[in-house]
Structures are given as structure tokens and as C-alpha cells.
Amino acid sequence: MITRIACGALHGVDAFRVDLEVDFARAGLPAFAMVGLAEGAVREARDRVFAALRNCGFRLPPARVTVNLAPADRKKGGSSYDLPLAVGLIVAAGLLPENAAAGIFMAGELSLTGEVKAVTGALPLAILARSMGAEAFVVPASNAREAAVVQGLNVYAVESLGQAVALLSGEGEPEAVKVRETGSAAGDGEEGNPDFSEVKGQDHAKRAVEIAAAGGHNLLFIGPPGSGKTMLAQRMPGVLPPLSFDEALEVTKIYSVAGELPAGTGLVERRPFRSPHHTISQAGLVGGGSIPRPGEISLAHKGVLFLDELLEFRKQTLEVLRQPLENGAVTIARAALSVTWPADFMLIAAMNPCPCGYLTDPRRKCTCGKVEIQRYRSRLSGPMLDRLDLHVEAPAVSYEELSSDRPGRSSAEMRACVCAARDRQSARYQKSRCRCNAGLSGRELEKYCRLDAAGHAFLREAVRSLHLSARAYTRILRIARTIADIEDAESISNAHLAEAVNCRALDRTRL
């Protein structure tokens, strides 16, 4: 007897259909064979499944069992095939009706006792099940809320193999898992984030954060140790617009596939904030491995990637960020497969001005020589610096500022300005591929960043006196457009250009 069970395999952040076919032949010597390009964890399912069946009281007659995972020309990995295999064996052995699993999509790992354990990628598997027209999706209880995010699909949570068999046999009246209705936004994204009102001083740096968030610009802080660079970066997610439902779905798929989604979690409702250590490898940052997994840049999708002590990262590691920063995605190519991960993130970085860190600190004397400082800063290449729109100095905070009771701007106030500016950009670029000002280039830059005669004269003088490059000129126009949007101005004025030039600290630095 041949039984077919619907399940799925992951490829990047998406899933493709897999038909698990079980041929249960009682003729010949007992044997077990699995075909269909199964990876190690899938082949090991044999031992887990037979132990779980035995410990749950299911006695299968001796038979020659052949399991096929179709399509046979695509690799399958992971442990989500345990539950479909166990059910397929039970149906093929005649312990369940032949049509018991018809129209049912399944995923789940089995313990030796028959407990159904969580798997990775439940959300993309649920999306696949709905697209296939499945009547129901049977998942581990730990993955139920995640899968139930997909509307139009009945999701049933099971905790054991016995419970799954009872569900398929029609015993009782199981209830599909429900999650709360989700509107256009998954959450407000503000609660739980540290607030900017807690940051003393650094008004210029806070303004840079507001500009970066409003225009989607990448930002570099330069300052001595203890000046608050990390504090500023950690509060960035609190001023960004809340995630839309589609954005939350994209982020959740990545975390689901990576196994980073906490058990019992539905949608990821806050923008991610990732802060890898400077010793991270290239594969850890952009993704990779023999079985490719998403890296930190993909886990920061639609959120913030913070690189503290930027120049302590290996130069080769930083260089691999160049292509994802331009394209918003990263492709991992291997001999047998190629996987593309989303990587649309804001890069926030922090660095010291010199090796000792005290070049710009009026209270401490810098011990570094000019050549030493140049060598230190050369770790950041020109093309990489080109991807950083704003580089702003974060000076040491004085005692008067630290002890002041004057309240600073809160994250809520800053976020209101950021959201208003983003709304203006959405309306302006609704017929364009550009989403925000950081993506302006070519004709769009000329169309939306036009200057009057006074603006051209001001910027011409700035380019000549500061010896600005062509890329600095482009960045200044983008930043000025964002500042104008924050102030609800249709055109770019000289004041906007002056503030934009002031947000490019490294263009003005001459050693």
C-alpha cells in the first residue's frame, strides 16, 4: 500500500512542496529505505520515528518500507519530516483509514517518547500549505501561534504523536488555533525600547538620529569612549515607524527559518536591533554554512544593524556589507544551491577618532601620531564609507550636561516627526521604486532634490572649499531632502544644505 503525506522543505525564507510517499510492502524481507536527496537529520528520522511508534503503542507488522521524498532532485534537510513519516507509516500499515491524512499538511519533530517538538520555518510552511489549498496544517504546539498568523488556514496544535493520530481519526472536536486580528501595523514598536529622554546632552547626535530615521540613512558616530554612542544607537528602533503587517511577516519568516523565534511567538512586532561582536566571521554576518543560514544582516531586516567599535571589525568582513547595503538582499551561492536572504536594514556604526580614542576629548590627551591615526582610519575603505550617509561627532559629555535636570526630547516626540517625514516620502515616491530619500539616485535625485540659484551657489562653494567628492555631493542632497521633509518644506533651502554639510564630519576632517 502506498500512502502520500503533504509536507514541505525550506529554501531561503520560502518553502516548497514535498510529497512524502510511503510504500509498505509485506512481501520479502523486512527493510527500510529512504530516497529523495535526504540530508543527515532526515535520514536519522527512521530511528526516531520507529522508537516513537513503539513507545506510543503502535505495533507495525514486518514489511519492506520504501520512503520517497518528492521532488527527488532537491535536497531536504531538518527534522520536520518526523511527524509526516510516522503518520504515513501508520496509515500505510492500515492502522488509520486510507484517506485520514488527505488534504492535511504536516510538520513536526518527534522525540523517542512520541512528543512532538518544535521545528524551524513553521511560518513559510504555513504559507505554502495555504497556497496548496490544504484543509488544515498540523504543527507542534510550540509553533502553533506562528503558523496561525496565516489567515485562511486551519492550524491544529499537537503535543504528541498519539494526539496527532487522534486528530486524524476524528476523535473529539479539536479547535483550530486563533491569533488576534492584526491590522495594518503589527505593533507600535515603542513599548519596551529605551527612551531618548534618558540621554543627557548630545543634541547634535540626537538630531542626526532623527534625520537618519526619517530618511532611512546609514549613520556613523565618531567620538571618544563613554560619550554615549552605544546609548544613541540602542534607542534608534524606538524612533523608527512601526512595522506594517507585511514587514512584520517578512521579519518573522526570517526568524522562523533561522530558529530565532521564541516558542509560542506569533508575529515579530518590533523592529529588530542586532549588535554583533567585532570578532564575528563573514558567514556569521552575511549568512552561510554548508546548509546556508541567515546572518546578522538578514536578522536585522527592516530594523537596525549596529556595529560598535567599527574599525575593530576585520576589513574583509566589513567589505562584504557593500553589496547588501546597495541591494537590500544577500545571495549565498554554493555548488549545489543558491539562496537569497532579505537584508534591508539601517546600518548604525560607532568608532573612536583614533587608536587611543581621545583625539577629540578635551579632558584627555591623545597619544597617537598622525601616521598612526591615518593607518587606523584606513581600515574603513572609501567604498564602505560611501555607504554611510551621515557621520556625526559625538563629543564627550560635560558634567553640567550630565547633572542637568533639563528633560531631553523623548523617543515618542522624535518618532512623530520621523513618521510624518516618512509619510511625505511615501506620497512623493508612490510611483517610484524608491521608498525613502536614502535610495534616491540618478534622475530621481535630479527631480526631487532641485536647488534654486542660491542653493547651487552655496553647495558649489561647499564643494570647492571642503574638497567634497561626487559621492559626498550626492549624500548631501539626500540628507538635505530629508531635513526639508522633517520641516515640511517643499523645496530645499540653504539652511537645509548647511545642516546636511554639517552631518558629514569626515568630509571636513583633514589630518
Side-chain angles (χ1 to χ4, degrees), residues 286-301:
V286 302
S290 56
I291 301 177
R293 295 183 71 257
E296 289 292 329
I297 63 173
S298 294
L299 294 172
H301 182 62

Side-chain angles (χ1 to χ4, degrees), residues 339-390:
V339 178
T340 299
W341 303 104
D344 183 11
F345 60 93
M346 280 186 61
L347 175 61
I348 308 297
M351 59 173 274
N352 295 329
C354 64
C356 77
Y358 299 109
L359 178 65
T360 59
D361 192 339
R363 300 169 299 184
R364 301 285 295 271
K365 183 179 180 180
C366 175
T367 59
C368 307
K370 181 178 179 180
V371 174
E372 191 177 2
I373 297 174
Q374 289 176 331
R375 186 182 300 115
Y376 177 73
R377 294 190 178 182
S378 67
R379 298 179 189 177
L380 185 63
S381 68
M384 187 60 202
L385 182 61
D386 184 28
R387 270 74 176 178
L388 297 167
D389 287 357
L390 294 89

Side-chain angles (χ1 to χ4, degrees), residues 64-85:
R64 186 178 186 85
V65 179
T66 303
V67 177
N68 178 43
L69 300 173
D73 60 344
R74 300 187 71 173
K75 286 188 176 182
K76 294 93 182 174
S79 57
S80 63
Y81 305 97
D82 291 8
L83 181 60
L85 176 57

